[in-house]
Amino acid sequence: MNPLDRKLLRDLWRIKGQAAAIGAVIAVGVLLLVMMTGLVRSLDETRQAYYERYRLAEVFAPVTRAPENVIGDLPAIPGVAATEGRVAGYALVDLDSVDLPIQARIVSLPDFEAPRLNDIFLIAGRRLDPANRDEILLLKSFADAHDIRPGDALRVTIRGAQRAFSVVGLVQAPEFLYVTAPGELAPDDERYAVIWMSRATAGAAFDMEGAFNEALLSLTRDAREPAVLEAVDRILEPYGGLGAYGREDHLSDRYVSEEINGLRATSAIIPPLFLAVAAFLLYIVISRMVQAEREQIGLMKAFGYTDLEVGAHYFKLILFIAVSGAILGCLAGIAAGRAMVVLYLQFYKFPFLLFELRSSSFVLGILVSVCAASAGGLLVLRRVFALTPAVAMRPPAPADYSRTGGVVRKLTRILDQPGRMVVRRVTRQPALMGGAVLGIGAGMALAAAMTSVMSGFDRTIDVNFNVIDRSDLTVSFTDPKSDKTILELQRLPGVIEVEPVRNVSAVLRNGLRTHRGAVEGRIATPRLNRAVTSEMDAIDMREEGVILSTSLADKLQIRPGETLTVEVREGRQPVLELPVFGTTESLLGSPAYMQIDALNRALREPDRVSGAALRIDSARSDEIYRTLKDMPAVASVSLKDETRESLQELMDSGAGAMRYVMAGIAFVITFGIVYNSARIAQAERERDLASLRVLGFTKGEAAFVLLGELAVVMFVALPVGALLGYALSFGIAAGFSSDLYQIPATFGRSDFGTAVLAVLAASVASGWLVKRDVDRLELVSALKARE
């Protein structure tokens, strides 16, 4: 081992605390990078493999009722590889243990062969026997939620007729990775079922013998999807085609894609922040080390070491810290990724999900960390190359403190001697103090931004369920009913208030930008389910146009005063040209509102409702639930409290859970920055502190000179961190937002207070560690060191 390498080991041991803190910052950045890229790859590749193995359709074409022979016309469309027709619809499941009706999706399977498209994955039991029309298959997650096993009986109501079926198998399917009832955003395994039955059974139940109401298509590699969709709509239009759509608009795939895209966006923003902080810390540590070792650098060059060899010595120090932190981050990233996979496997209905990483992920993590560290270190190494032996071995020119003399003289009148020493240090080295302020401010900003995002998640739920939605439950009907149905609901004992709604499936279009969703009809002055402004003031519905959520308006790039094209996908399927007269703050989904009477007139279906929001007497809730369960017109009942719990679980899972991970990491980073600042100040002033002890200062007074400087820097960093955190919270909140929910960038006093407490806690812990070393300082050794 050559002398420079032995010096490298001694230097690493001497700054082991600072090196460990910087390495931890690098490890955190690499951990997030490895974990997120691994999760993106695992989710994306597992999804694609699942889709391909079970042949998930690429085009879905719902239709009112089409003869079976029409399915034979679809393969002639250029780009279509395979087709299949099936019967699908909605039903109700009646369980004795549940007071409310449970909505179910019915899907048919071919009688005598495996489906060409949208096959199923059998988990338990067996497949259907075509000779027995009373057998069904059940989605495993729903069966597990209610402890249903193969062989159990299940009562199902289809089009008003109840029938008992035998569950013969539990299955999963690629088209039901994300399972939620129509009109709801958050999945709840207890309140929504998926049932597969034979084609003959489903055809008889839905009056579809010899017909189908949904066509499935797969495409060739060179297919042009827009042209295929147009051709399919043209063929199915005479039979009540409801508009074909691609896989990206399928609810399940859409939300899985949102999750993957959110992880991908987060991995591109968050890890670089940590690595940038690490580069900044390395710059400070190495620059001050070079400044302190000027004479040693001069001696090394005088003894014949070249500029390259001396520079490589310090660069090795940088590489050792960076590579060690990166390796630790890779290992921790694997462990964190495997833990997150367990959450995703519980939330999304994958039959399997393994956390897999390519070697390129490790190479990328190490390479990025080394590049970030090198960026901070190379700026310092320029000074090493610039130093000649003669210049390096001379003490640096004394600094000019004349400009700060007036300030110091004024403060000396009210400060004692240790206080004056702190002020001189702070005022005479503004650049160094400014760097420390920025470092601590950056750590505080990250902590403040993450606590702000957590507050934003909570605000999303609070605003939606306490300000926007003030109902107790929502009732959906099997199909649009006369508004007299609302009178029947109002007459139920215990019902306090009823507010009708009309939801119409539609494609909203502005030029080339489209959104597949719904137009929601509301009364002129809603009370139970409102549209609100950014100030949370209620917005009244108007007859002449629509109100769009801000997220939907941004997606369609449309503003108030412009015209929106609404292609209705039910009934007569009119195409409406409606002006946009306002926007509303909606933190869940992307709704479009319209006055219910105006919507019915546009559809030429007066006095129709598709559901209602109810406010009820909680003392009579059980009686109301039983009554609603027996009403044939009711398709589903959604309780606000249960929906809130489901959404909270959704936000605490998957990418939502990542906010807790990064919040904890942000606090660790804050400690690392504060600790490094304290250690650097201690290393620079070790001789001064020993001199003070020799002159008669107590251990506490000597420590005050050092820790007082840290306290000043910390308090100056607080407003800086608050400003940086406020700006950073917008970017992080945007990264967590999706079509499912929008996270507002809130930065309140509690967020600022939490970040301040983190900085104070980090400062106290760092101060205690530094004071302990100051108390143990060897005076003779410290005084022998030359300036």
Side-chain angles (χ1 to χ4, degrees), residues 56-61 71 74-75 77 80-84 117 215-219 228 232 236 244 247:
L56 181 66
E58 293 169 273
V59 172
F60 297 78
I71 203 71
L74 299 178
I77 299 174
V80 174
T83 62
E84 179 146 27
L117 298 174
L216 307 175
L217 296 85
S218 64
L219 306 180
V228 172
V232 171
L236 297 181
R247 184 189 291 169

Side-chain angles (χ1 to χ4, degrees), residues 461-513:
I461 292 179
D462 179 66
V463 168
N464 187 79
F465 292 99
N466 292 331
V467 178
I468 295 176
D469 184 1
R470 301 192 295 185
S471 67
D472 294 319
L473 59 89
T474 302
V475 176
S476 298
F477 302 137
T478 54
D479 49 58
K481 303 294 182 182
S482 167
D483 57 3
K484 294 180 180 179
T485 309
I486 301 299
L487 299 177
E488 296 180 17
L489 293 176
Q490 289 175 334
R491 286 196 292 265
L492 294 179
V495 173
I496 300 173
E497 188 175 0
V498 179
E499 189 172 279
V501 298
R502 175 76 192 272
N503 295 329
V504 178
S505 176
V507 174
L508 310 181
R509 189 182 305 276
N510 180 38
L512 298 178
R513 299 184 176 273

Side-chain angles (χ1 to χ4, degrees), residues 327-371:
I327 293 174
L328 178 62
C330 288
L331 297 177
I334 294 174
R338 289 176 176 173
M340 290 297 296
V341 157
V342 175
L343 291 177
Y344 279 109
L345 195 56
Q346 293 174 351
F347 187 72
Y348 293 105
K349 307 305 183 288
F350 286 104
F352 56 87
L353 183 60
L354 299 177
F355 183 74
E356 296 183 3
L357 277 172
R358 294 174 179 166
S359 56
S360 58
S361 298
F362 298 108
V363 173
L364 178 63
I366 294 175
L367 184 62
V368 169
S369 63
V370 168
C371 290

Side-chain angles (χ1 to χ4, degrees), residues 2 9 73 88 90 168 199 249 251 324 345 372 434 526 534 556 558 564 593 611 647 656 664 680 725 727 737 755 774:
N2 64 53
L9 294 177
D73 299 335
Y90 292 98
V168 298
R199 177 67 178 273
D249 286 325
L251 183 66
S324 300
L345 195 56
S534 56
L556 296 175
I558 193 170
L564 176 70
Y593 298 115
L647 187 62
I680 290 169
S737 298
V774 171

